[in-house]
Amino acid sequence: MRPFLEISQLHKTFPTPKGPLTVVEDFNLKIRKGEFIALIGHSGCGKSTVLSMIAGLADVSQGGIILSSKEVTAAGPDRGVVFQSPCLLPWFTAFENVMLGVNQVYYTASKLERTQIAEYYLTVVGLGEAMHKRPGELSQGMRQRCGIARAFALSPKMLLLDEPFGMLDNLTKMELQDVLLDLWQRDQKTALIVTHDVDEALYLADRVVMMTDGPNATVGEILEVNFPRPRNRKQLLEDPAYYAAREQLIGFLEERSHHRPVRTAHAAPPAPPAKPTGLRKLFGSLASA
Amino acid sequence: MSFLELKNVSKSYGGTPVLSDVNLSIIEGEFVAIVGYSGQGKTTLMSLIAGLIKPDSGTLTLSGQPITGPGPDRGLVFQNYSLLPWLTVGENIDLAVRSVFPEKTEAERAAHIDNYIAMVKLSHAKDRLPRQLSGGMRQRVSVARTLAIQPRILLLDEPLSALDALTRANLQDEINDICQSDKKTVVLITNSVDEALLLADRIIPLTLGPGATLAAPITVDLPRPRDRKALNQEPEFKRLRAQITDQLLGFSAGRKSSLSRKLVLPDILPEDLEAPRVSRPPRRLSEEKNETIVSA
């Protein structure tokens, strides 16, 4: 059977004054229907570029993306995107922001049904009492809730989340992760989240795809996450397997992400380089930001 | 004997209680982390200790003396760095040092400042303006400025919240090193359980407002120096991490209003917007299912 989403030999090149720069090189990934995938890597490694190409917001330089037997060529409502900042229209209320897309995608339905859809999702994300407020009157976390409701309300085939909780404090982040998981389970969506938070990736995903550092970034390692669902954060945090998985991800980010994988599967990994000192790590991250 | 003591401290703004009945007692040389959600009065608590605002009731004392206003015995590091944009790194620190140590000679002051700039590893950037620095470097300047006035107690108000994960980890290590080598008394406010576990001797969760207060303190008995990666193996770390996270999330679960509202999710499918517009009723999942059953 064909995978639900198939990314093959995906490349992205940007023109620069010094010639073309290949940011993403030969990226391959297959995603099953209903799967939750987390894509992690250092900032600037090209995670978001891959997501933008799946969303159809950035052109593919080489290779291709097939979503349920159709090649991705442009953006469309079959892929719902949640951005880091929720990008709500400030002169519309939360409800009107959600209705904007709902009115387009469900144009054959009655006004009542469309309103019901928007109200349903806004209430499920916890904005039941605040849905008629404008973004300016909502906290950062509430705005992001609205962004999630907007994406789910269009009933997309696939959900793409680009560091959706990066701007929130740790505790609000955990609340929203639960909101997201709840909706994902309810609607049985296929989802891809880009994040650099190891705990977030492990809590949400069925598989964590680790990307090597850019330029020429590609899939480094893939970790299967088999914790039972629905996931219980407290149980997870006490599970020794959780910490083993966490260590594998941290180890990849700290030590192995600089290497492109050798083509042959499971070849001996190259010797890890000397661990960068604090300041070198800092300046390295600044240079790539 | 406790060094910093808060007794039954309450504070409200315009009738809404923010903090009520806060009790806190910190001994000299202790590193205490207060963990809580945004908007629950963490910064109000810090401003009270710093003496920037006065409590409605209750008392605050620092080594037995009541706190009546701000003073150089308490050094505050803000989340937003609060550097003067027209002064260089050195000048920003000099401003604080000059007002706290007016008796120091020019040379003594210069040496003093250089010492603290070196402590946060910014010697190469001494003559730069804040806008020429990254967020992490700006926060380093802010830390150096506060340390340079040699406060008896260091107040850190979410100092690392605005930084990316990697920079934050580096600064956490630096703060840890500095505080451990000087055995400073520190109050850290944070929303990160990991950060609190890495740095603190005691962690005190802040409950949810309005009228937030401090929950029972949790002693962090992890050996020092604490290494982020080694901690990951430590059963006590895992236990505390799960316990505190669960406790904090439990606060908000209690807050959720039990509004029961009848919700209807209509059974309609999205239309293909690339195809020409049609005028027919919406497709429904229930109908699609019927069709498959018939065809099977």
Side-chain angles (χ1 to χ4, degrees):
Chain A
M1 207 188 104
R2 281 204 88 102
F4 187 65
L5 178 82
E6 187 168 7
I7 304 172
S8 6
Q9 295 165 28
L10 189 71
H11 288 66
K12 180 71 189 178
T13 1
F14 288 110
T16 67
K18 290 178 194 159
L21 175 72
T22 306
V23 177
V24 176
E25 189 177 322
D26 199 19
F27 186 100
N28 294 286
L29 186 66
K30 293 184 174 108
I31 301 181
R32 290 188 300 274
K33 191 166 186 182
E35 208 178 5
F36 203 133
I37 300 283
L39 191 57
I40 68 166
H42 285 297
S43 27
C45 78
K47 309 184 291 278
S48 298
T49 309
V50 171
L51 184 127
S52 305
M53 286 191 278
I54 302 171
L57 296 170
D59 292 332
V60 170
S61 305
Q62 214 186 99
I65 302 168
I66 295 168
L67 175 67
S68 75
S69 313
K70 224 178 117 191
E71 186 171 1
V72 168
T73 50
D78 57 338
R79 281 146 290 147
V81 188
V82 180
F83 300 98
Q84 184 170 17
S85 66
C87 305
L88 302 173
L89 297 178
W91 60 91
F92 277 169
T93 64
F95 174 75
E96 288 165 339
N97 268 291
V98 174
M99 280 303 277
L100 198 63
V102 168
N103 283 336
Q104 295 291 316
V105 163
Y106 299 104
Y107 66 90
T108 49
S110 69
K111 174 101 199 199
L112 174 69
E113 283 179 319
R114 279 180 274 153
T115 308
Q116 282 172 338
I117 288 228
E119 282 179 349
Y120 176 85
Y121 283 102
L122 281 161
T123 311
V124 170
V125 299
L127 288 180
E129 283 152 283
M131 67 171 79
H132 296 295
K133 288 186 176 167
R134 293 210 174 85
E137 303 165 80
L138 301 174
S139 69
Q140 192 81 261
M142 287 167 102
R143 281 180 225 161
Q144 196 53 280
R145 280 171 202 262
C146 181
I148 293 172
R150 179 177 57 184
F152 273 95
L154 303 188
S155 188
K157 285 183 197 153
M158 178 148 193
L159 209 65
L160 303 168
L161 306 121
D162 190 2
E163 296 196 29
F165 311 132
M167 281 162 64
L168 306 176
D169 73 72
N170 274 308
L171 296 163
T172 312
K173 192 192 260 190
M174 289 191 240
E175 275 183 26
L176 281 190
Q177 285 165 357
D178 288 327
V179 167
L180 175 64
L181 272 189
D182 178 38
L183 270 172
W184 169 78
Q185 206 119 30
R186 233 177 249 249
D187 287 8
Q188 314 220 323
K189 285 276 167 278
T190 311
L192 175 76
I193 185 170
V194 160
T195 178
H196 54 234
D197 181 336
V198 169
D199 290 299
E200 180 164 278
L202 285 175
Y203 187 55
L204 298 174
D206 297 312
R207 278 193 294 158
V208 181
V209 176
M210 294 164 251
M211 260 180 93
T212 60
D213 293 349
N216 311 77
T218 188
V219 176
E221 295 171 26
I222 296 181
L223 176 72
E224 298 264 351
V225 187
N226 294 319
F227 303 115
R229 295 189 186 266
R231 288 187 182 159
N232 175 310
R233 199 184 297 269
K234 185 159 189 261
Q235 273 171 18
L236 209 60
L237 289 183
E238 284 165 354
D239 191 338
Y242 177 81
Y243 284 89
R246 192 167 186 260
E247 204 166 286
Q248 188 181 339
L249 296 185
I250 294 174
F252 175 83
L253 289 176
E254 286 192 351
E255 283 147 25
R256 304 191 294 279
S257 65
H258 330 298
H259 304 285
R260 278 182 69 84
V262 184
R263 272 301 177 122
T264 48
H266 304 297
K275 206 175 160 186
T277 64
L279 276 178
R280 261 183 54 209
K281 262 200 282 184
L282 168 66
F283 289 122
S285 78
L286 291 176
S288 61
Chain B
M1 201 203 107
S2 67
F3 182 59
L4 173 75
E5 186 145 33
L6 276 69
K7 269 194 188 139
N8 309 321
V9 170
S10 298
K11 175 76 191 171
S12 59
Y13 293 119
T16 325
V18 181
L19 295 172
S20 57
D21 207 19
V22 173
N23 290 287
L24 175 67
S25 167
I26 296 175
I27 57 170
E28 193 146 18
E30 196 181 16
F31 196 128
V32 170
I34 294 171
V35 189
Y37 287 78
S38 328
Q40 299 310 326
K42 291 194 301 246
T43 299
T44 301
L45 181 61
M46 219 35 144
S47 307
L48 283 166
I49 299 174
L52 298 171
I53 53 174
K54 288 196 165 55
D56 298 340
S57 61
T59 53
L60 296 97
T61 52
L62 186 67
S63 56
Q65 299 294 309
I67 293 173
T68 52
D73 52 346
R74 284 148 288 143
L76 183 55
V77 177
F78 300 94
Q79 184 179 352
N80 60 5
Y81 326 131
S82 305
L83 302 173
L84 297 177
W86 62 90
L87 296 182
T88 64
V89 169
E91 288 163 350
N92 261 295
I93 298 172
D94 185 45
L95 188 68
V97 173
R98 199 185 282 264
S99 32
V100 176
F101 303 109
E103 73 287 350
K104 275 198 199 305
T105 66
E106 195 80 22
E108 279 170 351
R109 229 173 41 230
H112 185 84
I113 293 165
D114 285 344
N115 177 26
Y116 283 96
I117 294 181
M119 195 183 279
V120 296
K121 302 178 183 146
L122 277 181
S123 301
H124 63 287
K126 190 188 167 195
D127 299 317
R128 287 204 221 162
L129 292 170
R131 66 162 180 274
Q132 296 162 327
L133 304 175
S134 71
M137 291 163 90
R138 284 182 214 178
Q139 194 54 286
R140 283 194 163 85
V141 181
S142 176
V143 169
R145 177 178 60 183
T146 307
L147 291 172
I149 61 170
Q150 297 179 332
R152 302 182 59 195
I153 183 164
L154 195 59
L155 307 173
L156 306 173
D157 186 3
E158 297 207 30
L160 309 178
S161 296
L163 305 173
D164 71 83
L166 206 60
T167 315
R168 190 185 307 178
N170 285 320
L171 260 175
Q172 277 167 355
D173 292 343
E174 274 171 36
I175 289 178
N176 214 358
D177 291 347
I178 293 168
C179 293
Q180 287 310 309
S181 58
D182 284 17
K183 253 317 175 194
K184 280 243 171 282
T185 312
V186 186
V187 182
L188 166 75
I189 283 193
T190 180
N191 59 49
S192 159
V193 177
D194 283 341
E195 186 170 291
L197 282 171
L198 188 71
L199 300 174
D201 299 317
R202 266 198 306 159
I203 295 178
I204 310 180
L206 186 69
T207 66
L208 285 193
T213 191
L214 295 175
I218 298 151
T219 306
V220 183
D221 223 349
L222 297 168
R224 290 185 189 271
R226 295 179 190 158
D227 173 79
R228 203 169 282 102
K229 224 173 148 192
L231 274 185
N232 202 30
Q233 311 269 13
E234 188 86 33
E236 176 69 0
F237 170 76
K238 295 177 202 176
R239 191 187 66 77
L240 286 171
R241 190 167 187 259
Q243 181 198 336
I244 298 169
T245 306
D246 193 57
Q247 187 179 0
L248 287 165
L249 289 172
F251 292 152
S252 76
R255 176 182 56 171
K256 268 174 205 143
S257 59
S258 54
L259 164 102
S260 63
R261 178 170 175 175
K262 207 170 168 332
L263 283 175
V264 187
L265 180 62
D267 177 19
I268 47 179
L269 290 174
E271 299 292 344
D272 185 357
L273 295 185
E274 280 169 41
R277 295 236 158 182
V278 292
S279 52
R280 52 158 172 77
R283 293 175 303 129
R284 293 173 197 278
L285 202 58
S286 50
E287 292 166 10
E288 298 231 319
K289 268 184 196 149
N290 287 342
E291 278 170 31
T292 31
I293 291 165
V294 170
S295 65

